[in-house]
């Protein structure tokens, strides 16, 4: 039975490296351990009234504003199992605590295509459906078959099909209607032994050319993306950050045209709902790239990434984020929505 610890520092458990404490902290390595933990929390609740529960993966998409006056449960369910193979389709069940990039490497070693464009995204497999992680023209929803969950209130296991999760750009039921309702315990992926490569995004083709690759394999694509990401994005081990702080906003043609009148170089692409603007471009044009306020700041190479230069408080980073939002709205009339989970 996992132990429940008190007053634990979360600095090592969040990629912003914010120094906050959890009133209670524990971890679980199986669904059975999770069930035991949730049962034992009922016991704690007798003395500490209705404690909130926060499920933690790698802590790479969170900003803690203050000490967490509740129970942090770290998901450590491991294991990767091939469930079935039919023609070129392979179903693989992956424990929620598996490191996302380890799973990508497993797929590449086993010739399974589908997740190579999502190489090097930090965090765990269990968090991947939460905001429907995406990069280089691929979203994880494209390869999710089902999500296995534990309903905290009902104390019941359940299986959600892909369509139940209502995946959208950086969104799902886990971030909206059913926020904090489930612990994701494993994810089943639908992968393919025949590979449909997605190369027309960002600098993938240029990087493959630089690598002298003419007929790329999924490994080549993964290597190219690892190289591009490593050169572009700050490493959280060196400087605290949670990747893109804001979502790319989707606007109407009218708003896009108004921006185009002043800024011919506006970066956007057409999506079903309208026009997706590059939030990093908006923030950079608003003059925030590289700005530092105390230990909180905007990364000097990538304006979409807010950073902790050392001992920033979560509230300081949030204050900077609020100022950026207000200034982008003033200049462009566009609202930036936070992608990172702000934990109050
Ligand atoms: C340098 C950097 C680059 C990044 N690049 C990208 C990118 O290209 N694309 C992208 O989409 N994201 C990116 N991210 C964001 C982040 O990697 C993803 O959101 C990732 O899925 C977070 O995983 P995690 O395990 O760290 O989740 P955490 O930060 O631990 O948790 C995130 C949210 O999910 C919930 N959660 C976590 N695990 C579970 C579970 N098992 N059950 C229920 N709820 C759970 C948490 O409560 C929280 O609300 C980047 C982050 C960094 C630091």
């Amino acid at each position: 039975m996992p132990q429940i610890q008190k007053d634990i520092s979360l600095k090592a458990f969040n990629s912003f490296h914010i120094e906050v404490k959890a009133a209670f902290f524990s971890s679980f390595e199986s669904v059975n351990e999770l069930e035991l933990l949730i049962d034992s929390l009922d016991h704690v609740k007798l003395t500490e009234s209705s404690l909130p529960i926060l499920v933690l993966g790698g802590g790479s998409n969170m900003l803690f504003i203050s000490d967490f006056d509740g129970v942090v449960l770290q998901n450590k369910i491991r294991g990767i199992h091939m469930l079935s193979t039919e023609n070129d389709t392979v179903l693989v069940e992956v424990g929620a605590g598996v490191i996302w990039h380890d799973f990508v490497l497993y797929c590449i070693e086993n010739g399974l295509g589908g997740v190579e464009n999502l190489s090097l995204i930090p965090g765990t497999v269990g968090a991947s459906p939460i905001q429907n992680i995406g990069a280089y023209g691929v979203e994880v929803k494209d390869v999710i078959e089902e999500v296995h969950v534990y309903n905290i209130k009902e104390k019941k296991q359940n299986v959600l099909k892909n369509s139940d999760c209502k995946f959208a750009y950086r969104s799902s039921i886990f971030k909206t209607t059913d926020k904090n309702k489930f612990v994701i315990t494993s994810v089943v992926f639908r992968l393919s032994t025949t590979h449909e490569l997605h190369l027309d995004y960002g600098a993938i083709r240029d990087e493959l050319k630089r690598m002298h690759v003419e007929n790329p394999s999924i490994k080549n694509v993964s290597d190219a993306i690892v190289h591009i990401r490593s050169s572009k994005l700050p490493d959280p081990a060196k400087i605290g950050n949670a990747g893109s702080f804001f979502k790319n906003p989707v606007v109407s043609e009218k708003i896009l045209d108004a921006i185009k009148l002043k800024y011919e170089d506006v970066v956007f692409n057409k999506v079903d709902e309208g026009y997706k603007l590059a939030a990093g471009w908006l923030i950079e044009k608003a003059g925030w790239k590289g700005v530092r306020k105390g230990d909180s700041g905007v990364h000097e190479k990538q304006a979409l990434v807010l950073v902790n230069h050392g001992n920033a408080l979560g509230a300081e980073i949030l204050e900077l984020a609020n100022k950026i939002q207000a200034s982008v709205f003033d200049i462009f009339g566009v609202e930036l929505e936070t992608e990172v989970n702000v934990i109050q």
Side-chain angles (χ1 to χ4, degrees), residues 1 46 64 82 94 96 98 117 135 165 169 173 179-180 183 193 213-214 222 254 269 330:
M1 164 71 193
L46 291 176
F64 286 100
M82 276 195 203
V94 189
V98 169
N117 286 44
C165 301
Y169 167 60
I173 56 163
K179 195 170 180 206
N180 300 331
V183 179
T193 51
V213 173
E214 278 180 13
S222 172
K254 199 173 154 203
N269 64 297
D330 278 353

Side-chain angles (χ1 to χ4, degrees), residues 6 148 173 281 292:
K6 275 187 162 190
H148 293 206
I173 56 163
W281 181 89
R292 181 171 176 167

